[in-house]
Amino acid sequence: MFLGTHTPRLDDKGRLILPARFRDELAGGVVITKGQERCLYVFPTPEFQRIAGQLAEAPMTHKAARAYSRVFFASAHDEIPDKQGRVTIPGHLREYAGLDRDLVVIGASTRVEVWDRLAWDAYLEANEDEFADIEEGVLPGGL
């Protein structure tokens, strides 16, 4: 399970050094793709394969499933982190997420999310006050 918030920097070659506590679980390979709210999702390869299987079960006649699958798979980039735990984020994904040098990398349970630092700060400012209200809708009965 991926937890916590980290603040690495993107190097001049578009590489991200994965947080040390995430490296073991990601060492076998990652898939980086577009996420919601203009962040990037980084999945361990087995988790990406599990999600791909779920998407494959959706009927081809389901318009939303087709649209989601197209963007999700077309933007995906697979890679094995190097010995320093670095992965290259392709230009089209850096552009999509508006990544500059300063990043925020968060653990989001079964995936890692990569955000531009300013975008993450804006997201938190816009959504933190609603956090308590959201719980009941997401976790029936609460914690």
Side-chain angles (χ1 to χ4, degrees):
M1 180 179 294
F2 299 105
L3 303 170
T5 302
H6 308 270
T7 54
R9 295 182 69 129
L10 200 62
D11 73 11
D12 293 335
K13 296 179 181 178
R15 295 178 301 193
L16 163 67
I17 298 175
L18 296 167
R21 65 184 320 181
F22 296 167
R23 289 183 200 160
D24 285 346
E25 196 167 344
L26 298 174
V30 301
V31 179
I32 306 168
T33 192
K34 291 179 178 180
Q36 271 69 47
E37 291 88 30
R38 294 272 175 181
C39 74
L40 300 179
Y41 290 163
V42 180
F43 294 101
T45 301
E47 177 65 8
F48 185 84
Q49 291 169 336
R50 185 190 68 76
I51 293 166
Q54 286 182 316
L55 289 170
E57 291 176 13
M60 268 191 167
T61 55
H62 193 277
K63 186 176 181 176
R66 284 194 320 271
Y68 186 84
S69 290
R70 285 180 184 129
V71 173
F72 189 73
F73 292 116
S75 65
H77 168 76
D78 62 334
E79 186 169 346
I80 295 177
D82 68 13
K83 290 180 183 177
Q84 287 80 38
R86 295 179 300 196
V87 291
T88 301
I89 300 177
H92 73 282
L93 291 174
R94 290 194 313 264
E95 184 178 322
Y96 168 79
L99 300 183
D100 199 11
R101 235 166 133 66
D102 295 318
L103 306 178
V104 174
V105 174
I106 64 166
S109 184
T110 60
R111 70 179 181 274
V112 173
E113 293 183 358
V114 179
W115 292 76
D116 175 75
R117 184 176 178 159
L118 295 176
W120 175 248
D121 290 345
Y123 177 82
L124 282 181
E125 179 147 343
N127 292 283
E128 254 182 338
D129 288 341
E130 298 172 17
F131 178 69
D133 297 334
I134 293 172
E135 177 188 319
E136 285 188 26
V138 175
L139 298 170
L143 291 177

